[in-house]
Amino acid sequence: MQIEMTSALEDLGVQPDTLTPADRASLDRDGYMIVPQVLAPGQAAAMAARLNAIALAEGENAGKDFHTEKGTTRLGSLINKDPIFDICFLHPRGLAAVNHILRGNFGLSSITGRAAQPGEGHQSLHRDNATVDSANVLWAVSDFK
């Protein structure tokens, strides 16, 4: 049974007014929107601590289930590692933003972690997937500088 996208999004809390007119304008004009303090400080701290614990537990294998990168701590398959990360793909504003960008034609690809080490981990502007339209939702769980 195929679920119609609008119904699925409604079931996940996405309503026509989930995005403000300013959110939509930012997505259309800039290609992104910023939602400050979408996570409570305690929730963000718990997610950051869990990412650190996973990285420590995986050690030299961290990221090998997705992608490794010099100068960063990468973690893959977070969807399978702790339900604390479920908000990353279930938050109504994130879903509404991706839906706005991709016009109702999307699915989840992955939930991963990327932490650049001090003075390292710089990236050039790039597209994650050159063959499929895609959108990313970035969750900053610690100071983002």
Side-chain angles (χ1 to χ4, degrees), residues 8-89:
L9 290 171
E10 286 175 0
D11 289 347
L12 293 169
V14 177
Q15 300 298 317
D17 63 349
T18 298
L19 295 181
T20 67
D23 292 337
R24 292 177 194 281
S26 181
L27 289 168
D28 293 341
R29 180 187 61 246
D30 305 321
Y32 66 90
M33 65 183 226
I34 296 173
V35 183
Q37 301 171 339
V38 70
L39 298 174
Q43 185 179 22
M47 289 173 77
R50 186 65 182 119
L51 288 168
N52 288 336
I54 292 169
L56 184 63
E58 292 185 1
E60 66 182 35
N61 291 317
K64 288 185 178 176
D65 56 349
F66 178 71
H67 176 73
T68 59
E69 180 183 355
K70 181 183 177 300
T72 67
T73 300
R74 297 294 304 251
L75 299 172
S77 304
L78 292 175
I79 194 170
N80 297 320
K81 294 180 180 173
D82 196 309
I84 196 170
F85 303 113
D86 289 359
I87 192 155
C88 297
F89 63 91

Side-chain angles (χ1 to χ4, degrees), residues 97-145:
V98 171
N99 187 57
H100 181 79
I101 293 167
L102 297 178
R103 310 285 185 229
N105 184 22
F106 68 92
L108 177 64
S109 173
S110 63
I111 303 292
T112 65
R114 180 182 191 278
Q117 301 304 314
E120 298 283 342
H122 301 283
Q123 287 187 322
S124 301
L125 184 62
H126 67 280
R127 183 173 178 168
D128 283 350
N129 190 325
T131 60
V132 177
D133 287 340
S134 62
N136 291 326
V137 178
L138 180 131
W139 294 85
V141 297
S142 60
D143 288 340
F144 191 79
K145 299 176 184 178

